Amino acid sequence: AISAAAAMKSALVLAGLCLLAVGCQAFYLPGVAPRSFKDGEPVNMKVQTLVSTETPLQFDFYQLPFCSPQKIQDLPENLGEALVGEKAHTSAFLARTKVNEYCKTLCRKQYTPQQMEEFQDFAILDYRVNMRLDNLPVAEMNQFIFEDKPQKTIEIYNLGYGLGRKLEEGTEKKADKKNDQYVLNNHLRFKILYHPVDSEDGGDADGNYIVGFHVYPYSIQHTYRGQWNQSSVPNARLSTCQQPPRGKFLQHDPLVINTAEGQEVIWTYDVEWELSNVKWASRWDVYLQMNEIQDDKIHWFSITNSLVILVFLTGIVGLIMTRILRKDFARYNEVVLTEEDRAEMNRDMREETGWKLVYGDVFRPPPYAALLSVYAGTGMQLFIMANLTLTFAALGFLSPANRGALLSSVLFFYVLMGVPAGYVGARFCKFVKEPNHFKTTLLTAIIFPGVCFAMFFLMNIVAWSKQSSTAVPFGTLVVLMLLWFGISLPLIFFGSYLGFKREVIETPVQTNPIPRQIPPQQWYLHPACTIIMGGLLPFGVMFVEMLFILSSIWQHRFYYMFGFLFLVFAILIVTCAESTVVMCYLHLCAEDYRWWWRSFFTSGATAFYFFAYGAYHYFARAHPSATYDITSTCIYFGYMFIMAYATFVLTGFIGFVSCFAFIKKIYGSIKID
C-alpha cells in the first residue's frame, strides 16, 4: 500500500522549490569575454530586422531603401538566429569611442511615390527598426508613471525605434480626418553609455566598456542652402540643425510622407557618449527588467495558483491510494476485517472495486498500439529535451544575450535524445506484440518531426511570397534535414535496437483470450467529458505563464524568468500525471479497461486549451485593433500549431506513462484467484 505521506511528497518538494525561484531567474553567464574600446576607436553599429507587434511578418533592414555602406556585409548567425530570421548587417552609421558628434549626414536620397508608400505602409503597421552595438540591442527609453503613485516613475525600454508615426494634430500640418498622414523618423540621436575598465577587470586600463545603447528618433524636414554638395557628406551643412556643443534643432517641420509625388529625404544622426556606473556584467539588466512593473506579482500568483491545484489533486490521489485501494488490497488479500468495514465495502463494491473485475483485460493492447508506442517514444524525447533546455536556461547559459541560443539548444537536445526515444518506443512496441519492429522505429523517427517540418515548410512558402526575412533560406532547410536524417534517425534506430534486446515488460496479471463486455457508462465518464476535464486542470497550471511566453515570441520582448518557468513545468508534469491517474481510476471502477489512448488524450488535451488561448492572445491582446490579413494569420497559427502539437505529445506521454505505472502498481498488489 502507498501512504498519504508518499502521495504528498511531490507537492511538498515543489512547494520547497518556490523558495529558490527568485534565485533562479537565469542569472547572466555571457559566454563571451567583454571587449573594451580605446578612446577614439571606431565602433560598428549593426542593423538587423524590422519587426511589428501588429504582424508576425518581419523584414530585413535593407529591404527598404535605407542608406547603406558601399559594401554590405552579412554577419555570421547561428541556427537559432537563422530560424527566426534575425539577420544582421553592417551599416553606414559611424561612431568613435567617447567622441560626441551631431547632425552627421548619412545620405540624401530621392524617393519615388512607390517607395514613399512603402515607408508609409511600414509606419502604419508600427514597424520598429532593430540595431545592435557590441551585442547590445538599441532601445528607446520612455518614462512610466504609476497611476496610484504619480510621484513614482520608472524607465521602460522599448526595443528598437519606430520607423514612423501618425502626424499629431498639434503640429502645423494637421492630419486629415479621412486620410491620416504619417511622418518618417529620419534623424536618430544615439546615446551610448560607457564604463571605464576597472583594474580588477583585467582588461586594458585605457579601455571602455559599452554598457548601454539608447536611441531617440526624430522627424525633421531638413533644409540646406544652395546646391547639395555630395563630397561634404557626412559633414554636410544643414539649415535645420546646428553643430556642437549640444546639436540643438532649429525651428523645423516634421517630414510628412508624400505618397503622391515622392520626395527627397536626408537621413542624419547624432552620437552622444555618457559615463555610466553600470558594470559590464550588469549591462543587460535594464533590458531584462523592461516588464518588471507587474511581472513578479503575476508570476507569484501563477505559482500559488498552480500549487493550489497541485495540492488538491495530490489529496485526491492520496485518498485513492490510502482509503479505497488499501481496503481493496486488504479484502482481496484475505486480511481480517471488522464487520463495519465489511459492510461498508459490500455497500460500495461496484463503485470502488470494479477495477479488480477487469484484471484480465486491463493490459489488452489497444487499437493502433504501434502508433501509441511511436508517440510514447517521441514523448520521452520531448520530455528529456524540455528538462535539459530549462535546466541550462535557469543556470543562465541561454541568456537573451546569447542570441539564438535557446532555439538552437531546443533543436540540438531534441536531435541528441533520439536514443531514449527509440528505446522507449521499442519497449512498448514489444510489449503490445507489434510484429513490424522496423516500421515502428521508422515512424518514431519520422511522424513528429515530419509533421512539424511540413508545417514549417508551408509557412516558409507563405513568408517567401511576402519577401519576409521570416522565411528561412534553403541552406538552413538543408541543415535541418541533415540533423534529422543524419543524426536523429540513426540515434533512434540505435535506441530501438537496445530496446528490442531487452525482455518484454512483465505484467502482474495475465490477459484473458476473450475480451470482457464493458457495461454502459455514465455520461460524465464519456471520453469527451473526461478528456475535456482532464486537460483543463493542467492548463490552469500554465496559462498565466503562457502570457509571458507568447508575448516574448509575438510581441518581441525578452523572456528571462526561467526559474519560474522551470517550477511551473515541474508542477505541470505532476498535475498531468495525477489528473490522468484519477480519471483512469474512475474508468476502471466503472469496469472500462480502455485506458491506453484515453490516458494519452486526457492529459494531452492541455494542448487544445493551449491553442485556444493562443488564438485569444492573437485576436484580443496582440492585435486588438489591427487589420487582419491572411498571411500573418497563417504564419501565427502555423507556429501555434507546432507548439500545441509538441505540447500534446509531451503531456500525453506523461499521462500515459503515469497510468501505466499506476495500473502495474495496483494490480501487482492484489491476489488473483
Side-chain angles (χ1 to χ4, degrees):
I2 302 176
S3 64
M8 293 290 291
K9 184 177 180 181
S10 59
L12 294 176
V13 170
L14 291 172
L17 287 176
C18 284
L19 301 176
L20 303 176
V22 176
C24 294
Q25 295 179 5
F27 58 88
Y28 175 48
L29 295 177
V32 292
R35 180 185 175 186
S36 62
F37 298 87
K38 294 183 179 180
D39 293 358
E41 180 180 351
V43 294
N44 298 318
M45 299 184 192
K46 314 294 193 309
V47 292
Q48 291 182 283
T49 51
L50 305 172
V51 298
S52 170
T53 58
E54 302 295 328
T55 172
L57 285 175
Q58 61 186 28
F59 294 88
D60 189 72
F61 180 84
Y62 289 116
Q63 283 185 253
L64 287 181
F66 288 111
C67 303
S68 61
Q70 292 183 352
K71 182 179 181 181
I72 300 175
Q73 294 182 352
D74 297 335
L75 302 178
E77 57 187 4
N78 57 39
L79 183 58
E81 289 177 301
L83 289 176
V84 297
E86 288 188 1
K87 300 176 182 178
H89 315 279
T90 54
S91 73
F93 294 99
L94 300 176
R96 292 176 294 167
T97 306
K98 295 176 65 174
V99 177
N100 294 337
E101 298 177 281
Y102 298 94
C103 212
K104 295 191 67 176
T105 304
L106 202 60
C107 72
R108 167 182 168 270
K109 282 197 170 188
Q110 182 67 40
Y111 292 109
T112 64
Q114 292 77 13
Q115 290 175 321
M116 296 308 297
E117 186 175 0
E118 193 173 12
F119 277 119
Q120 179 169 286
D121 291 340
F122 276 75
I124 291 174
L125 290 175
D126 195 24
Y127 268 90
R128 301 183 68 84
V129 181
N130 286 325
M131 301 176 61
R132 72 186 191 207
L133 174 65
D134 191 32
N135 202 37
L136 278 180
V138 72
E140 191 176 356
M141 186 175 63
N142 299 306
Q143 293 288 333
F144 180 86
I145 301 176
F146 291 87
E147 293 182 359
D148 54 342
K149 299 178 180 179
Q151 70 280 5
K152 184 179 180 181
T153 61
I154 187 173
E155 291 183 347
I156 299 298
Y157 286 75
N158 293 326
L159 291 179
Y161 66 89
L163 179 63
R165 65 181 188 278
K166 185 184 294 187
L167 182 64
E168 299 176 359
E169 294 183 359
T171 58
E172 295 182 5
K173 297 184 179 180
K174 295 185 178 181
D176 190 302
K177 292 183 178 180
K178 295 183 179 180
N179 300 312
D180 292 330
Q181 291 181 297
Y182 289 82
V183 299
L184 184 65
N185 291 325
N186 61 323
H187 181 88
L188 303 176
R189 175 163 292 175
F190 297 107
K191 179 183 287 187
I192 304 174
L193 307 182
Y194 69 94
H195 184 83
V197 176
D198 297 328
S199 57
E200 60 267 20
D201 293 336
D204 191 340
D206 298 329
N208 305 277
Y209 292 140
I210 295 177
V211 296
F213 188 29
H214 303 166
V215 65
Y216 303 90
Y218 299 92
S219 178
I220 303 175
Q221 179 68 57
H222 282 302
T223 58
Y224 53 90
R225 298 184 181 90
Q227 296 294 322
W228 177 260
N229 184 8
Q230 183 64 30
S231 62
S232 63
V233 176
N235 300 311
R237 292 287 180 175
L238 300 175
S239 306
T240 40
C241 59
Q242 62 185 24
Q243 294 298 317
R246 301 300 298 171
K248 296 180 180 179
F249 300 125
L250 301 179
Q251 186 67 29
H252 65 273
D253 294 327
L255 180 61
V256 180
I257 297 176
N258 186 349
T259 58
E261 301 175 359
Q263 63 195 117
E264 175 189 81
V265 178
I266 299 176
W267 301 87
T268 55
Y269 66 102
D270 303 331
V271 179
E272 288 184 347
W273 292 79
E274 183 177 298
L275 180 65
S276 173
N277 294 324
V278 177
K279 299 280 188 178
W280 187 89
S282 304
R283 65 180 190 162
W284 270 86
D285 290 354
V286 293
Y287 299 95
L288 301 182
Q289 293 171 0
M290 287 191 296
N291 303 318
E292 75 169 355
I293 302 172
Q294 57 183 2
D295 278 11
D296 287 344
K297 292 182 180 179
I298 296 179
H299 278 291
W300 280 115
F301 169 77
S302 173
I303 296 297
T304 304
N305 169 70
S306 303
L307 284 175
V308 169
I309 295 175
L310 180 64
V311 171
F312 171 72
L313 278 176
T314 305
I316 296 178
V317 174
L319 179 66
I320 293 174
M321 293 295 189
T322 56
R323 182 174 179 272
I324 300 175
L325 292 181
R326 181 176 291 175
K327 291 181 180 180
D328 290 337
F329 295 155
R331 181 168 166 282
Y332 285 103
N333 288 331
E334 300 177 355
V335 176
V336 178
L337 301 174
T338 63
E339 290 297 327
E340 183 179 353
D341 291 338
R342 196 180 303 277
E344 182 180 354
M345 284 193 297
N346 289 334
R347 184 171 56 252
D348 299 331
M349 178 184 298
R350 181 171 181 81
E351 269 183 46
E352 299 184 349
T353 61
W355 61 272
K356 194 270 178 184
L357 302 178
V358 295
Y359 70 89
D361 298 274
V362 73
F363 289 107
R364 186 181 305 280
Y368 307 104
L371 184 61
L372 183 61
S373 302
V374 168
Y375 277 115
T378 304
M380 173 59 77
Q381 189 174 12
L382 291 172
F383 177 69
I384 300 177
M385 176 208 74
N387 275 282
L388 290 175
T389 303
L390 288 176
T391 299
F392 277 86
L395 292 176
F397 291 102
L398 305 181
S399 165
N402 298 327
R403 302 175 185 278
L406 183 61
L407 185 55
S408 297
S409 300
V410 168
L411 287 173
F412 284 117
F413 284 140
Y414 174 80
V415 168
L416 295 176
M417 291 305 109
V419 173
Y423 180 82
V424 171
R427 295 281 283 162
F428 279 107
C429 176
K430 197 171 183 179
F431 178 76
V432 298
K433 300 180 176 61
E434 169 60 37
N436 196 336
H437 294 175
F438 176 81
K439 175 184 175 182
T440 303
T441 305
L442 186 62
L443 290 177
T444 304
I446 287 180
I447 283 188
F448 178 79
V451 171
C452 293
F453 186 84
M455 179 60 67
F456 182 75
F457 186 75
L458 290 176
M459 291 185 296
N460 217 41
I461 293 177
V462 173
W464 271 332
S465 68
K466 293 292 183 177
Q467 298 182 342
S468 170
S469 64
T470 308
V472 174
F474 180 76
T476 305
L477 295 179
V478 173
V479 171
L480 292 177
M481 297 291 287
L482 290 176
L483 289 174
W484 181 7
F485 291 103
I487 300 178
S488 179
L489 189 143
L491 289 178
I492 288 176
F493 269 89
F494 178 68
S496 179
Y497 168 75
L498 297 178
F500 283 121
K501 285 186 63 177
R502 297 291 302 274
E503 295 296 327
V504 179
I505 300 174
E506 295 184 359
T507 59
V509 292
Q510 297 295 324
T511 301
N512 294 333
I514 301 177
R516 178 187 177 88
Q517 185 176 0
I518 300 173
Q521 302 292 302
Q522 298 290 338
W523 67 268
Y524 55 82
L525 293 179
H526 189 275
C529 294
T530 56
I531 288 173
I532 291 173
M533 291 185 292
L536 186 60
L537 287 177
F539 176 75
V541 169
M542 61 182 286
F543 85 96
V544 175
E545 205 66 27
M546 273 188 60
L547 169 64
F548 299 98
I549 295 175
L550 293 178
S551 296
S552 67
I553 296 174
W554 301 117
Q555 294 179 269
H556 311 289
R557 300 176 182 174
F558 287 122
Y559 185 89
Y560 68 101
M561 307 294 284
F562 292 108
F564 280 113
L565 183 60
F566 190 89
L567 184 57
V568 169
F569 179 73
I571 297 175
L572 172 66
I573 296 304
V574 178
T575 305
C576 285
E578 292 183 345
S579 62
T580 311
V581 165
V582 170
M583 292 297 179
C584 179
Y585 179 76
L586 293 177
H587 283 99
L588 291 178
C589 287
E591 301 179 29
D592 187 351
Y593 52 83
R594 298 169 299 183
W595 62 272
W596 297 79
W597 278 109
R598 186 182 287 124
S599 64
F600 197 96
F601 278 98
T602 297
S603 57
T606 307
F608 297 106
Y609 291 100
F610 180 98
F611 189 84
Y613 186 82
Y616 164 78
H617 185 272
Y618 180 76
F619 292 109
R621 299 188 65 91
H623 305 75
S625 60
T627 301
Y628 303 101
D629 65 279
I630 189 65
T631 303
S632 300
T633 304
C634 288
I635 290 178
Y636 180 91
F637 284 99
Y639 280 110
M640 282 301 305
F641 172 81
I642 293 176
M643 291 188 286
Y645 184 41
T647 303
F648 169 74
V649 177
L650 172 59
T651 54
F653 163 76
I654 298 300
F656 168 68
V657 171
S658 302
C659 283
F660 187 80
F662 170 75
I663 290 174
K664 279 194 65 179
K665 180 66 178 178
I666 64 174
Y667 284 97
S669 302
I670 62 174
K671 287 185 177 180
I672 303 297
D673 297 331

